[in-house]
Amino acid sequence: MSQSLKNQTALITGSGRGIGKAIALAFANEGANLILVARTESQLRDTEREIVEAGGRAAVVIADLTDKDQVARMAEEVEQQSEQIDILFNNAGGGIEKSHVADSDPDLWILDVNVNLATAYLVTHAILPMMMARGGKIINTGSGMGHSPGPGSSAYHVGKAGMWMLTQCLAEEVWEHGITVNELIPGPVATDLTAGRMTVGGPPPFAPSEYVKGPEDVVSLAMW
């Protein structure tokens, strides 16, 4: 194990699978203490087990991050687990309503936006008090789809566009506390959420000139 993140604590949402899991394992390998947060306990326990078996340290907190009451309870548990959060990685998200606006389900559309935007706001709002005295880093997983329009999946576009603006506004508010805020845009990645549509090394369905990465390929961006 390297020790470049020794004595630091990282909280990563959506860390039970995909990009979040890959980054959690990498941060642990660099010596960080991990707090793993998501709503699916079995997946988080798998990530925790891999970290511990490799000699790292991890704690699990179960929460539906679209629910502000559960986020508040999550923050209380986090404070019991650790006196500090040095890195907050808002990675929870996903595409739910992929229809055109005229054909979309309003409930699913709103849920999609909340999963990709409100979760980051709620978690950041809850965890910031632990970070403002010490400083630290906040990383938000964004998407190129949040920076460009396209037919279908408007809720995902809108949610990630909101994430982009939240990142910029927050950065302006907390820099004097020694906190940097950045958006990580991984590009097309093969995960459970994109299974059947993307294969590592092949082109994504929406951009034949690009290639699909695996979750581990995003780690170097997060480490930087």
Side-chain angles (χ1 to χ4, degrees):
M1 277 195 176
S2 171
Q3 295 297 305
S4 66
L5 297 179
K6 185 179 180 181
N7 297 325
Q8 296 193 45
T9 299
L11 188 158
I12 304 180
T13 68
S15 44
R17 60 183 179 180
I19 294 171
K21 179 177 181 178
I23 291 171
L25 294 174
F27 281 8
N29 193 56
E30 293 295 329
N33 303 313
L34 269 296
I35 298 178
L36 311 171
V37 181
R39 63 181 180 181
T40 305
E41 182 173 6
S42 60
Q43 294 175 347
L44 289 183
R45 293 299 179 190
D46 286 342
T47 304
E48 177 190 35
R49 174 182 51 77
E50 291 186 40
I51 289 172
V52 172
E53 287 180 353
R57 296 169 298 279
V60 166
V61 180
I62 311 301
D64 178 349
L65 301 179
T66 63
D67 184 321
K68 64 182 179 63
D69 292 330
Q70 291 194 41
V71 172
R73 288 195 295 272
M74 176 273 294
E76 291 176 359
E77 288 189 49
V78 169
E79 289 183 13
Q80 294 171 6
Q81 296 283 354
S82 178
E83 296 180 352
Q84 67 192 64
I85 297 295
D86 302 286
I87 304 167
L88 170 60
F89 208 119
N90 288 306
N91 175 71
I96 299 170
E97 175 52 272
K98 298 180 173 62
S99 303
H100 286 205
V101 170
D103 302 319
S104 62
D105 180 319
D107 290 333
L108 293 180
W109 199 96
I110 292 169
L111 176 61
D112 200 328
V113 172
N114 285 340
V115 165
N116 290 290
L117 173 58
T119 56
Y121 161 74
L122 290 172
V123 172
T124 301
H125 179 266
I127 297 300
L128 261 181
M130 295 184 66
M131 302 183 70
M132 293 179 76
R134 292 174 51 92
K137 299 183 183 298
I138 297 174
I139 307 172
N140 298 324
T141 300
S143 170
M145 292 173 69
H147 295 256
S148 62
S153 298
S154 62
Y156 186 82
H157 282 264
V158 170
K160 289 301 186 183
M163 169 77 87
W164 171 46
M165 185 53 64
L166 174 64
T167 299
Q168 295 182 81
C169 291
L170 185 62
E172 294 283 350
E173 294 176 355
V174 300
W175 68 271
E176 291 182 300
H177 296 278
I179 301 173
T180 63
V181 190
N182 287 283
E183 180 188 29
L184 186 157
I185 302 178
V189 180
T191 67
D192 291 348
L193 297 176
T194 61
R197 297 187 296 116
M198 296 189 190
T199 303
V200 174
F206 52 82
S209 64
E210 296 188 40
Y211 72 95
V212 175
K213 297 177 287 296
E216 296 77 13
D217 296 322
V218 184
V219 166
S220 59
L221 294 173
M223 289 304 305
W224 182 81

